[in-house]
C-alpha cells in the first residue's frame, strides 16, 4: 500500500498508526529529571537514540498527548536542564512500564513505583540504582516540532553526555557484553523485543 501522511496516519486497512512498527527496534531511554523544587521524575522514551558517540550526544522526544500540556519530563527540563538516561534491561521491563503511568505533576515515579535511586555525579537528577548503565546529560538544545492541528506540542531534546556509569558486571575483556546488558527494545504497537542473534561484520578496507 501507499499513503500520504497529510491525509492521516491510519488509512484502511490499517487499524493503528503503523509508524512505530516501521521504525524499530528502538532503544528505550528511561529518563530521570528533577524540577527546581527538587521533585524527581522518571519516564520511558523510545523516541530516543544516540546522535553522536564522540562527542557523545543523545536525543529523546517528549510528545504531548493533551493539547497545551507538556510531559512532566519536559517541564522539568525547562527548570533544570539536566537528565539521566537509564538503560533498560529485560529484568527492569515491568518497572520501566510502571513509570509510564500518567501521574500528577510533581509525583515522583521513583517513590510511586518504589524504584531505588542513586545520586548522579555531575547532574542533579538521580539515576536508577538497578540500571546496568546510565548516561548523565546536560541539555544542549531543544527543537520544537510544529504544533499539531489539535494543539499538541512535540519537542526533541538533545543532550550532551557528560558522565557514564557502567556496572562492572557487564564489562568483559574491556568490552560491554550485549548479552549481559540485555537491552530491552521497543517494537511496534505494544510489543517489545530482546536481543536476537548477535554477529560481527567488519567494515571493508578502503
Ligand atoms: C516503552 C515506552 C516508550 C515511550 N516512549 C515515549 C516517547 O518516545 N515519547 C513520549 O512522549 N512518550 C513516550 N512514552 C509515554 C511516556 O512514558 C508517558 O507519557 C509518561 O507518562 C511520560 O511521563 P512524564 O509526563 O512523567 O514525562 C513511552 C512509554 C513507554 C512505555
Amino acid at each position: 500500500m501507499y499513503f500520504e501522511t497529510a491525509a492521516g496516519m491510519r488509512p484502511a486497512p490499517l487499524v493503528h498508526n503503523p509508524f512505530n512498527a516501521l521504525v524499530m527496534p528502538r532503544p528505550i531511554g528511561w529518563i530521570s529529571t528533577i524540577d527546581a523544587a527538587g521533585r524527581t521524575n522518571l519516564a520511558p522514551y523510545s523516541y530516543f537514540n544516540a546522535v553522536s558517540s564522540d562527542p557523545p550526544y543523545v536525543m529523546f522526544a517528549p510528545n504531548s498527548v493533551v493539547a497545551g500540556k507538556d510531559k512532566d519530563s519536559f517541564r522539568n527540563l525547562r527548570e533544570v536542564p539536566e537528565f539521566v538516561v537509564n538503560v533498560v534491561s529485560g529484568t527492569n521491563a515491568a518497572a520501566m512500564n510502571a513509570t509510564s503511568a500518567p501521574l500528577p505533576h510533581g509525583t515522583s515515579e521513583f517513590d510511586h513505583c518504589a524504584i531505588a535511586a542513586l545520586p548522579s555525579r555531575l547532574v542533579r537528577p538521580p539515576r536508577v540504582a538497578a540500571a546496568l548503565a546510565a548516561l548523565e546529560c546536560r541539555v544542549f538544545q531543544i527543537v520544537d516540532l510544529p504544533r499539531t492541528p489539535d494543539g499538541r506540542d512535540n519537542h526533541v531534546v538533545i543532550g550532551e553526555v557528560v558522565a557514564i556509569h557502567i556496572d562492572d558486571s557487564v564489562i568483559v575483556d574491556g568490552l560491554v557484553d550485549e548479552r549481559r546488558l540485555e537491552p530491552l527494545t521497543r517494537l511496534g504497537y505494544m510489543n517489545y523485543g530482546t536481543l536476537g542473534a548477535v554477529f560481527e561484520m567488519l567494515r571493508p578496507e578502503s
Side-chain angles (χ1 to χ4, degrees), residues 48-62:
F48 158 76
N49 219 313
V51 174
S52 161
S53 64
D54 188 7
Y57 281 76
V58 293
M59 59 71 58
F60 75 99

Side-chain angles (χ1 to χ4, degrees), residues 53-133:
S53 64
D54 188 7
Y57 281 76
V58 293
M59 59 71 58
F60 75 99
N63 296 331
S64 304
V65 283
V66 177
K69 188 169 182 290
D70 278 321
K71 296 264 167 98
D72 291 340
S73 307
F74 186 74
R75 291 175 65 178
N76 288 354
L77 287 178
R78 290 282 197 203
E79 296 181 14
V80 178
E82 300 172 345
F83 62 97
V84 179
V85 175
N86 301 279
V87 171
V88 182
S89 302
T91 46
N92 294 326
M96 174 281 296
N97 194 39
T99 63
S100 70
L103 302 179
H105 181 66
T107 303
S108 174
E109 289 81 4
F110 279 103
D111 301 333
H112 185 81
C113 304
I115 292 172
L118 286 173
S120 298
R121 299 276 188 99
L122 299 185
V123 300
R124 285 162 278 183
R127 60 193 175 100
V128 172
L132 293 174

Side-chain angles (χ1 to χ4, degrees), residues 10-60:
R10 64 194 77 174
L14 301 176
V15 294
H16 287 291
N17 181 337
F19 191 78
N20 68 0
L22 298 172
V23 183
M24 60 95 184
R26 297 183 304 285
I28 300 169
W30 202 7
I31 307 284
S32 33
T33 55
I34 195 166
D35 71 8
R39 297 177 299 183
T40 59
N41 193 88
L42 179 64
Y45 286 85
S46 73
Y47 286 92
F48 158 76
N49 219 313
V51 174
S52 161
S53 64
D54 188 7
Y57 281 76
V58 293
M59 59 71 58
F60 75 99

